[in-house]
Amino acid sequence: MKTVEIRQRFLDYFARTGHTVVPSASLISQDPTVLFTIAGMAPFKPYFLGQQTPPYTRATSVQKCVRTSDIDNVGITTRHNTFFQMAGNFSFGDYFKEGAITHAWALLTSSIEDGGFALDKDRLWVTVYETDDEAIELWHRIAGLPLERIQKMGMADNFWSMGVPGPCGPCSEIYYDRGPAFGKEGGPVADENRYLEVWNLVFMQDIRGEGGDKGAFPILGPLPQQNIDTGLGVERLAFLLQEVENVYETDLLRPLISTAEALSGKVYGAEGGKTDDVRFRVIADHIRSGTLLIADGVGPGNEGRGYVLRRLLRRTIRSARLLGVTEPVMPALVAQVRDLMTPLYPELTSDFARIERVAVAEEVAFLKTLETGSKLFGTAASDTRDSGSTVVPGDTAFALHDTYGFPIDLTLEMAEESGLTVDTAGFIRLMDEQKQRARADAKARKGGFADQSVYRELLEAGATEFTGYDELNSEAAVRGVISQGQRIPVARVGDIVEVVLDRTSLYAEAGGQDSDSGSILGAGMSAEVLDVQKISRKLWVHQVRITEGELAEGDAVLTQVDPAARARSNQAHTGTHLVNAALRELLGPDALQAGSYNKPGYLRLDFSWSGSLSAGAASEIEEVANRAIRSDLAVSTSLSTVAQAKARGAVALFGEVYGDEVRVVEIGGPWSLELCGGTHVQHSSQIGTLVLLGESSVGSGVRRIESYVGYEAFQHLATERALVENLSGMLKVPSKELPGRVSGLVERLRLAEKELAGLKSAAVLSSAQGLIDGAEQVGDTAVISELLPAGISAADLRTLATDIRSRLGSRVGVVALFAIVDDAVSFVVALTPAAVSAGKNAGALVTSFLPSIQGRGGGKAEMAQGGGTNPAGVTDARAALRSAISGAAG
């Protein structure tokens, strides 16, 4: 049974049983505590948390998910993927344990003709939470399972929570016995390789408190209603129904391995090729995950989602290189993902040109990284040998990996080829420290939903009505006043509190537009609005400072938007749309918006593009946008469904979640047609003017344009004009001759600096003989150790040390020069050939004094250099160096 049929059969069964079929959400998570959608229940999280009222009592979905917590183990095991599809059925206060068990058993064991999966009932086992006798009774009665095939497990395995205070409950997992060839008998408690988990049924019935995972938290009591959340792994069921050994041999992954075989000339599963098999599986897994992430709007970058995507793509490329592939692999692999996954995700074909362009650009960039990393490794290997060691330091390997993106296994392989090893323990320690910092950061962010619990009751009262499209002042009633996460009855002068109203004219930050400024007024009360945010896209939360009187729940108030600030915000947001349309007109449809931000008078727009824009292109974008402003284009808004809007050609932002009804902003007909909830001018001419400030990179494949509009644009131009007039007056030339005059001055300055550097270098070198004459004899070694006067640069140190060394000729000599540069120490240690022949090593000598100056540095046997942060320690450093030379001589 093909995977696409498994997916559809699951949805069809639950549709027949009264469940609403909900489309898969984006891989980009709307939960601020995680980067990606990591579970099938994630889009329903607000319903389980009570933040929103679900529009249905039962639902079903097949959700695309990405988890990368175990990315280093992908391919090593044969049942874990970074991308997977989680099929689930959900009940919100409707059926509970009996219904969930009945549905799962019926779907898994019914015949193919009846719409089921026809799994052998005698090979199915279940586990339940250790105190859930009710579930045991239900499985025995409904499924007829013998009690010996129903096993109890503890909280670590069979109790579910979100990891934060909120809903939780016991779960029951369904396992399939793959047979004696896959492990020992005894059920899931004995061997989870032989007994493969297929489906997890979560009985959400309790509320948990603060604490860690795995049961280190109290159960506070029952939920107001009992819910069901289940998850069936589509890929796992596929490899059972397709009767293959593992997920990598299923119909949506094995062809990717075949493509990698064709590229490499190697064979998957060949005898003695376990290492290569892991590489094949990494390629298949990572290219699928990476392609689907790009399709959902993620671009490669150095942090967050972009970093994860970059790592997936680069591990794919690196694995291909380790298989011996020398040509680019992205075009063939991404095309194969498109062909395999388009029946499930049609956007892979409709948006293929952009997806391929992003993947190919990352491959080109990474191949340059591999070239650079190989050179850096060559230097590190040489330094290791020169220091008399055969072990590349762990911090060197970590720097190659973390700073330059050079994979550790490639470092290990190159070290082995060079007859060296790597301090893997040191590397792992540094990696662990980095992971612990990341986990601590993630844990610190994990309380996002818990912090919103105070809003649940307010959400149940209904959404805040936003009136700000039509009016700047609105009468409203205070639903709640919140301070430090708690509702309070009244707020007084000086208090900074959060206020929830039944209606408001103040715009909440969303869609890249900053929140409105303004005030809230009541009887004898006034409050300054500091910020406005949305909770669950329905509740407007105003952060205010009480400036007069008192504010209490139930009060009648008036919201007032600062009209001047709103007008400037409108200019900026409409200006953003104009720049976006200009980009698409000039660069084509591949210049996709990747994010935006606008506030009164200012806008920035991020867009997907490889390479910088030329000055001419940037100027042309500015001209197109201003031409649209001068044309006085009408700006209109309308409401429609997402499908209708896209059919008209409306542009939607990748990763954004839209409701059933969306707002479409149209400027000049189809020229600019976007889904947008922001506020805008009524005619483009109301923007006044738009001035491009610059265009820059904000990550691989993502560019940023920044602009001023309206009065801010006028101020900027006035400032530029005053600057030009000032320079013209200073240089006594007309403004049109300024470029030539400034260019001439710059060239004269460059020549003067070159001449000065030559004089300075000559002065430095002139001191060489004096330092030689003052050399100290330590054993058989002439030692020149000197702290040079202020003003000596690191480059001067090296030049002088090299000159002194050459003048020492055949003597055994050590030259150690120090200088204080910007409150820090620079040093160079140079050895004559005779000193190196005598067994001395500059890199080793440096280590003797580094602690004194709190420094770092190193180098080869004949020369080492570096710096330190403790200038006061130079005297001790020079003494330590003499002791090291004296000890070596002894």
Side-chain angles (χ1 to χ4, degrees):
M1 187 181 296
K2 299 294 185 183
T3 302
V4 66
E5 183 183 348
I6 294 171
R7 187 178 186 272
Q8 194 58 49
R9 190 170 284 252
F10 184 95
L11 294 174
D12 289 346
Y13 170 86
F14 283 103
R16 290 195 303 270
T17 54
H19 293 68
T20 298
V21 177
V22 180
S24 173
S26 169
L27 285 171
I28 300 175
S29 176
Q30 296 305 301
D31 177 348
T33 67
V34 292
L35 294 175
F36 303 112
T37 302
I38 60 173
M41 59 75 62
F44 304 100
K45 204 169 183 180
Y47 305 150
F48 290 131
L49 288 166
Q51 295 172 339
Q52 296 182 25
T53 301
Y56 29 67
T57 58
R58 48 174 72 183
T60 185
S61 70
V62 177
Q63 175 63 47
K64 51 187 177 182
C65 305
V66 163
R67 290 182 192 166
T68 57
S69 54
D70 296 321
I71 189 172
D72 291 322
N73 292 322
V74 168
I76 298 173
T77 67
T78 55
R79 58 180 180 172
H80 290 93
N81 300 127
T82 54
F83 171 86
F84 59 94
Q85 300 172 95
M86 188 60 72
N89 57 291
F90 308 92
S91 168
F92 309 101
D94 188 0
Y95 60 83
F96 195 48
K97 290 183 185 180
E98 183 169 358
I101 290 171
T102 299
H103 286 309
W105 188 257
L107 180 54
L108 287 177
T109 61
S110 293
S111 67
I112 299 297
E113 294 73 21
D114 290 337
F117 293 121
L119 292 182
D120 185 349
K121 297 179 182 180
D122 294 333
R123 299 179 75 169
L124 292 173
W125 293 60
V126 299
T127 60
V128 300
Y129 184 51
E130 56 192 0
T131 62
D132 194 357
D133 294 333
E134 180 188 4
I136 295 175
E137 188 276 326
L138 289 169
W139 277 114
H140 185 58
R141 172 166 58 84
I142 295 169
L145 278 174
L147 294 178
E148 61 268 21
R149 297 221 309 270
I150 306 172
Q151 298 184 323
K152 293 183 177 181
M153 285 190 176
M155 185 167 276
D157 297 292
N158 276 71
F159 197 93
W160 175 91
S161 80
M162 293 182 183
V164 295
C168 64
C171 58
S172 182
E173 297 175 338
I174 306 172
Y175 290 80
Y176 184 82
D177 181 2
R178 301 169 68 197
F182 294 94
K184 59 185 178 182
E185 296 183 3
V189 297
D191 190 333
E192 288 196 11
N193 184 51
R194 169 174 171 171
Y195 299 89
L196 184 71
E197 180 193 342
V198 176
W199 204 341
N200 185 19
L201 314 180
V202 176
F203 309 132
M204 205 179 294
Q205 63 189 41
D206 301 311
I207 301 174
R208 60 158 282 186
E210 294 281 358
D213 293 331
K214 306 304 181 184
F217 50 79
I219 303 299
L220 304 180
L223 284 170
Q225 65 178 25
Q226 296 173 323
N227 304 313
I228 287 294
D229 157 31
T230 84
L232 175 145
V234 172
E235 281 78 9
R236 288 197 180 185
L237 185 58
F239 91 69
L240 291 178
L241 295 178
Q242 293 173 17
E243 298 181 345
V244 294
E245 291 289 323
N246 56 64
V247 293
Y248 290 97
E249 296 178 12
T250 57
D251 61 319
L252 294 186
L253 280 171
R254 186 57 176 86
L256 287 166
I257 292 178
S258 298
T259 301
E261 287 177 312
L263 290 168
S264 67
K266 294 189 176 181
V267 178
Y268 178 69
E271 185 176 352
K274 288 185 177 180
T275 300
D276 283 348
D277 287 351
V278 171
R279 291 166 180 164
F280 278 119
R281 290 193 287 264
V282 166
I283 290 171
D285 174 88
H286 286 10
I287 192 60
R288 184 171 72 161
S289 301
T291 302
L292 285 157
L293 284 172
I294 296 171
D296 272 6
V298 180
N302 293 325
E303 58 184 24
R305 298 183 185 96
Y307 176 76
V308 174
L309 172 61
R310 169 161 287 166
R311 191 174 180 204
L312 288 168
L313 295 179
R314 292 189 170 192
R315 280 170 61 92
T316 301
I317 299 162
R318 176 256 303 160
S319 295
R321 286 294 180 276
L322 294 178
L323 286 172
V325 182
T326 56
E327 69 269 22
V329 298
M330 283 295 151
L333 291 173
V334 173
Q336 182 68 79
V337 175
R338 174 200 59 195
D339 296 344
L340 292 170
M341 304 296 289
T342 287
L344 303 176
Y345 308 107
E347 63 271 19
L348 291 173
T349 291
S350 61
D351 197 25
F352 182 71
R354 181 187 66 85
I355 295 168
E356 182 185 44
R357 178 174 57 79
V358 172
V360 168
E362 183 62 18
E363 180 167 32
V364 171
F366 184 48
L367 292 179
K368 292 180 181 177
T369 295
L370 285 177
E371 182 180 356
T372 301
S374 297
K375 292 178 180 177
L376 291 170
F377 176 81
T379 301
S382 178
D383 289 347
T384 298
R385 291 194 199 91
D386 289 343
S387 68
S389 175
T390 60
V391 181
V392 177
D395 57 353
T396 300
F398 180 76
L400 281 166
H401 167 83
D402 192 57
T403 305
Y404 301 101
F406 201 66
I408 180 60
D409 45 3
L410 206 53
T411 299
L412 291 168
E413 186 170 295
M414 292 178 68
E416 184 178 0
E417 291 171 355
S418 303
L420 303 172
T421 60
V422 178
D423 175 16
T424 53
F427 173 82
I428 292 170
R429 175 178 53 79
L430 292 168
M431 285 293 294
D432 286 343
E433 289 174 1
Q434 185 187 64
K435 289 178 181 178
Q436 287 168 10
R437 289 192 296 270
R439 290 191 193 105
D441 181 57
K443 190 172 183 180
R445 296 195 308 266
K446 218 171 188 180
F449 279 102
D451 294 340
Q452 297 181 8
S453 60
V454 69
Y455 304 110
R456 290 177 190 167
E457 293 178 13
L458 298 170
L459 278 162
E460 289 174 0
T464 302
E465 178 189 357
F466 177 60
T467 65
Y469 292 134
D470 305 312
E471 59 187 25
L472 298 181
N473 303 328
S474 291
E475 294 181 352
V478 179
R479 281 189 185 167
V481 181
I482 300 162
S483 177
Q484 297 181 347
Q486 301 294 323
R487 288 177 71 172
I488 59 174
V490 63
R492 297 179 173 84
V493 173
D495 290 346
I496 295 178
V497 295
E498 294 176 341
V499 181
V500 176
L501 307 174
D502 63 341
R503 60 201 308 269
T504 182
S505 56
L506 291 149
Y507 186 82
E509 182 178 357
Q513 181 175 333
D514 207 351
S515 62
D516 275 331
S517 57
S519 57
I520 298 177
L521 306 177
M525 186 281 305
S526 64
E528 176 191 3
V529 175
L530 306 175
D531 189 24
V532 190
Q533 295 292 327
K534 287 183 190 178
I535 300 294
S536 300
R537 294 185 292 160
K538 290 188 175 183
L539 205 66
W540 267 240
V541 178
H542 308 73
Q543 185 187 61
V544 305
R545 178 188 289 109
I546 309 298
T547 56
E548 182 181 355
E550 297 181 347
L551 179 67
E553 283 196 18
D555 283 356
V557 295
L558 181 73
T559 64
Q560 289 189 337
V561 177
D562 180 338
R566 168 66 78 82
R568 289 156 56 218
S569 287
N570 293 347
Q571 291 174 320
H573 204 152
T574 306
T576 305
H577 284 224
L578 297 185
V579 172
N580 198 14
L583 280 169
R584 293 196 304 275
E585 177 180 317
L586 296 171
L587 302 182
D590 283 353
L592 289 171
Q593 181 177 340
S596 66
Y597 172 72
N598 54 79
K599 62 181 181 178
Y602 167 86
L603 69 90
R604 72 169 184 245
L605 178 72
D606 296 342
F607 62 100
S608 301
W609 196 253
S610 296
S612 60
L613 300 182
S614 67
S619 179
E620 197 169 356
I621 289 167
E622 183 181 60
E623 170 58 29
V624 170
N626 278 287
R627 189 163 60 238
I629 292 172
R630 294 192 299 272
S631 299
D632 193 29
L633 303 175
V635 180
S636 61
T637 61
S638 59
L639 298 177
S640 72
T641 66
V642 173
Q644 290 170 338
K646 288 185 176 179
R648 291 174 59 195
V651 176
L653 184 62
F654 275 109
E656 186 65 50
V657 175
Y658 298 99
D660 296 332
E661 188 176 64
V662 295
R663 188 165 177 265
V664 181
V665 176
E666 183 175 340
I667 307 174
W671 183 69
S672 175
L673 198 64
E674 297 190 34
L675 304 187
C676 177
T679 64
H680 291 271
V681 300
Q682 295 179 322
H683 294 270
S684 61
S685 60
Q686 293 172 322
I687 295 174
T689 191
L690 183 148
V691 176
L692 209 67
L693 298 178
E695 182 268 344
S696 60
S697 171
V698 290
S700 178
V702 180
R703 310 295 299 180
R704 171 172 291 174
I705 283 179
E706 296 179 272
S707 299
Y708 284 142
V709 295
Y711 182 66
E712 280 72 9
F714 167 76
Q715 284 185 311
H716 175 75
L717 292 175
T719 301
E720 294 284 294
R721 182 179 62 189
L723 178 62
V724 169
E725 290 176 350
N726 191 23
L727 285 173
S728 295
M730 290 172 61
L731 299 177
K732 295 181 174 56
V733 294
S735 59
K736 64 181 180 180
E737 295 180 14
L738 271 178
R741 176 60 63 89
V742 171
S743 177
L745 288 174
V746 169
E747 178 61 18
R748 287 170 59 188
L749 179 62
R750 186 187 67 80
L751 293 173
E753 287 178 341
K754 184 176 181 181
E755 183 179 358
L756 180 62
L759 292 172
K760 188 176 180 182
S761 179
V764 167
L765 293 175
S766 69
S767 65
Q769 190 58 50
L771 293 174
I772 293 172
D773 294 341
E776 176 185 2
Q777 198 68 29
V778 178
D780 63 346
T781 305
V783 178
I784 299 169
S785 174
E786 194 72 31
L787 173 61
L788 299 179
I792 301 296
S793 68
D796 293 335
L797 279 184
R798 186 180 180 95
T799 300
L800 181 57
T802 303
D803 183 56
I804 293 173
R805 179 177 62 183
S806 65
R807 294 193 190 196
L808 287 172
S810 60
R811 297 170 64 183
V812 176
V814 174
V815 182
L817 303 181
F818 298 83
I820 310 299
V821 182
D822 297 329
D823 296 323
V825 182
S826 289
F827 67 81
V828 174
V829 175
L831 272 61
T832 62
V836 174
S837 298
K840 293 178 173 56
N841 185 293
L845 289 174
V846 162
T847 61
S848 68
F849 63 75
L850 287 178
S852 299
I853 58 172
Q854 298 174 15
R856 296 183 63 182
K860 299 181 179 181
E862 65 273 14
M863 180 172 286
Q865 58 188 7
T869 58
N870 180 29
V874 170
T875 300
D876 292 339
R878 294 169 64 198
L881 175 67
R882 284 192 295 272
S883 296
I885 296 170
S886 176

Short mmCIF file of all heavy atoms in Angstrom, two decimals, residues 766-794:
data_model
loop_
_atom_site.label_atom_id
_atom_site.label_comp_id
_atom_site.label_asym_id
_atom_site.label_seq_id
_atom_site.Cartn_x
_atom_site.Cartn_y
_atom_site.Cartn_z
N SER A 766 65.21 50.28 12.34
CA SER A 766 66.46 50.92 12.78
C SER A 766 66.80 50.56 14.21
O SER A 766 67.96 50.72 14.63
CB SER A 766 66.34 52.45 12.63
OG SER A 766 65.42 52.97 13.57
N SER A 767 65.81 50.08 14.98
CA SER A 767 66.08 49.72 16.38
C SER A 767 66.59 48.30 16.51
O SER A 767 66.93 47.86 17.62
CB SER A 767 64.80 49.89 17.21
OG SER A 767 63.80 48.97 16.80
N ALA A 768 66.63 47.55 15.39
CA ALA A 768 66.99 46.14 15.45
C ALA A 768 68.40 45.93 16.03
O ALA A 768 68.60 45.10 16.92
CB ALA A 768 66.89 45.51 14.06
N GLN A 769 69.39 46.67 15.54
CA GLN A 769 70.75 46.43 15.98
C GLN A 769 70.92 46.73 17.47
O GLN A 769 71.64 46.02 18.18
CB GLN A 769 71.73 47.27 15.15
CG GLN A 769 73.19 46.89 15.37
CD GLN A 769 73.46 45.42 15.06
OE1 GLN A 769 73.09 44.93 14.00
NE2 GLN A 769 74.08 44.71 16.01
N GLY A 770 70.24 47.77 17.94
CA GLY A 770 70.32 48.09 19.36
C GLY A 770 69.80 46.97 20.23
O GLY A 770 70.35 46.67 21.29
N LEU A 771 68.71 46.33 19.79
CA LEU A 771 68.16 45.21 20.55
C LEU A 771 69.10 44.01 20.51
O LEU A 771 69.24 43.29 21.51
CB LEU A 771 66.78 44.82 19.98
CG LEU A 771 65.67 45.87 20.14
CD1 LEU A 771 64.41 45.43 19.42
CD2 LEU A 771 65.37 46.08 21.63
N ILE A 772 69.76 43.79 19.37
CA ILE A 772 70.71 42.67 19.27
C ILE A 772 71.89 42.91 20.21
O ILE A 772 72.37 41.99 20.90
CB ILE A 772 71.19 42.50 17.82
CG1 ILE A 772 70.02 42.04 16.93
CG2 ILE A 772 72.34 41.51 17.74
CD1 ILE A 772 70.34 42.02 15.45
N ASP A 773 72.34 44.15 20.25
CA ASP A 773 73.48 44.47 21.12
C ASP A 773 73.13 44.23 22.59
O ASP A 773 74.02 43.93 23.39
CB ASP A 773 73.90 45.92 20.91
CG ASP A 773 74.47 46.16 19.51
OD1 ASP A 773 74.86 45.16 18.87
OD2 ASP A 773 74.48 47.33 19.07
N GLY A 774 71.87 44.35 22.94
CA GLY A 774 71.46 44.15 24.34
C GLY A 774 70.99 42.75 24.63
O GLY A 774 70.33 42.53 25.66
N ALA A 775 71.28 41.79 23.72
CA ALA A 775 70.81 40.42 23.92
C ALA A 775 71.37 39.82 25.20
O ALA A 775 72.52 40.06 25.58
CB ALA A 775 71.20 39.56 22.72
N GLU A 776 70.55 39.01 25.87
CA GLU A 776 70.93 38.31 27.10
C GLU A 776 71.28 36.87 26.74
O GLU A 776 70.55 36.22 26.00
CB GLU A 776 69.76 38.34 28.09
CG GLU A 776 70.02 37.56 29.37
CD GLU A 776 68.79 37.52 30.27
OE1 GLU A 776 67.73 38.06 29.86
OE2 GLU A 776 68.87 36.91 31.35
N GLN A 777 72.38 36.37 27.28
CA GLN A 777 72.79 35.01 27.00
C GLN A 777 72.23 34.08 28.08
O GLN A 777 72.53 34.21 29.26
CB GLN A 777 74.32 34.89 26.96
CG GLN A 777 74.83 33.65 26.26
CD GLN A 777 74.56 33.65 24.76
OE1 GLN A 777 74.49 34.72 24.15
NE2 GLN A 777 74.38 32.47 24.19
N VAL A 778 71.37 33.15 27.67
CA VAL A 778 70.81 32.14 28.58
C VAL A 778 71.30 30.80 28.09
O VAL A 778 70.81 30.26 27.10
CB VAL A 778 69.27 32.19 28.59
CG1 VAL A 778 68.73 31.11 29.51
CG2 VAL A 778 68.77 33.56 29.01
N GLY A 779 72.30 30.24 28.81
CA GLY A 779 72.92 29.01 28.34
C GLY A 779 73.58 29.25 27.00
O GLY A 779 74.37 30.18 26.84
N ASP A 780 73.23 28.46 26.00
CA ASP A 780 73.80 28.63 24.67
C ASP A 780 72.94 29.51 23.78
O ASP A 780 73.17 29.62 22.58
CB ASP A 780 73.98 27.26 24.00
CG ASP A 780 72.65 26.55 23.78
OD1 ASP A 780 71.63 26.98 24.37
OD2 ASP A 780 72.63 25.56 23.01
N THR A 781 71.92 30.16 24.38
CA THR A 781 70.92 30.87 23.58
C THR A 781 71.00 32.38 23.80
O THR A 781 71.00 32.85 24.96
CB THR A 781 69.51 30.38 23.93
OG1 THR A 781 69.45 28.97 23.78
CG2 THR A 781 68.47 31.04 23.03
N ALA A 782 71.04 33.13 22.69
CA ALA A 782 70.93 34.59 22.76
C ALA A 782 69.44 34.94 22.81
O ALA A 782 68.71 34.63 21.86
CB ALA A 782 71.61 35.23 21.54
N VAL A 783 69.03 35.58 23.91
CA VAL A 783 67.61 35.88 24.11
C VAL A 783 67.40 37.38 24.02
O VAL A 783 68.01 38.16 24.76
CB VAL A 783 67.12 35.35 25.47
CG1 VAL A 783 65.65 35.72 25.67
CG2 VAL A 783 67.31 33.84 25.55
N ILE A 784 66.54 37.78 23.12
CA ILE A 784 66.15 39.20 23.00
C ILE A 784 64.68 39.26 23.39
O ILE A 784 63.80 38.83 22.64
CB ILE A 784 66.36 39.71 21.57
CG1 ILE A 784 67.85 39.62 21.21
CG2 ILE A 784 65.83 41.13 21.42
CD1 ILE A 784 68.12 39.85 19.75
N SER A 785 64.39 39.76 24.57
CA SER A 785 63.03 39.86 25.08
C SER A 785 62.77 41.31 25.45
O SER A 785 63.41 41.85 26.36
CB SER A 785 62.85 38.94 26.30
OG SER A 785 61.59 39.13 26.89
N GLU A 786 61.83 41.96 24.75
CA GLU A 786 61.69 43.40 24.90
C GLU A 786 60.22 43.82 24.81
O GLU A 786 59.45 43.31 23.99
CB GLU A 786 62.49 44.12 23.81
CG GLU A 786 62.69 45.58 24.05
CD GLU A 786 63.69 45.85 25.19
OE1 GLU A 786 64.62 45.02 25.37
OE2 GLU A 786 63.55 46.88 25.86
N LEU A 787 59.82 44.76 25.71
CA LEU A 787 58.53 45.44 25.59
C LEU A 787 58.78 46.73 24.83
O LEU A 787 59.48 47.62 25.32
CB LEU A 787 57.93 45.73 26.97
CG LEU A 787 56.66 46.60 26.99
CD1 LEU A 787 55.52 45.92 26.22
CD2 LEU A 787 56.22 46.90 28.43
N LEU A 788 58.22 46.84 23.63
CA LEU A 788 58.49 47.98 22.77
C LEU A 788 57.62 49.18 23.12
O LEU A 788 56.59 49.04 23.77
CB LEU A 788 58.28 47.58 21.31
CG LEU A 788 59.19 46.45 20.81
CD1 LEU A 788 58.88 46.12 19.37
CD2 LEU A 788 60.67 46.84 20.95
N PRO A 789 58.03 50.37 22.70
CA PRO A 789 57.27 51.58 23.04
C PRO A 789 55.85 51.54 22.44
O PRO A 789 55.56 50.80 21.51
CB PRO A 789 58.10 52.71 22.41
CG PRO A 789 59.45 52.13 22.20
CD PRO A 789 59.25 50.67 21.95
N ALA A 790 54.99 52.37 23.02
CA ALA A 790 53.62 52.47 22.54
C ALA A 790 53.60 52.90 21.08
O ALA A 790 54.50 53.63 20.61
CB ALA A 790 52.83 53.46 23.39
N GLY A 791 52.59 52.48 20.35
CA GLY A 791 52.45 52.86 18.96
C GLY A 791 52.93 51.80 17.99
O GLY A 791 52.78 51.95 16.78
N ILE A 792 53.56 50.74 18.50
CA ILE A 792 54.02 49.65 17.65
C ILE A 792 52.84 48.71 17.38
O ILE A 792 52.19 48.23 18.31
CB ILE A 792 55.16 48.87 18.32
CG1 ILE A 792 56.34 49.79 18.62
CG2 ILE A 792 55.59 47.71 17.45
CD1 ILE A 792 57.00 50.36 17.40
N SER A 793 52.57 48.44 16.12
CA SER A 793 51.45 47.56 15.78
C SER A 793 51.91 46.11 15.76
O SER A 793 53.12 45.82 15.78
CB SER A 793 50.89 47.93 14.41
OG SER A 793 51.84 47.62 13.39
N ALA A 794 50.93 45.19 15.68
CA ALA A 794 51.25 43.77 15.61
C ALA A 794 52.05 43.46 14.35
O ALA A 794 52.96 42.62 14.36
CB ALA A 794 49.96 42.95 15.65
#
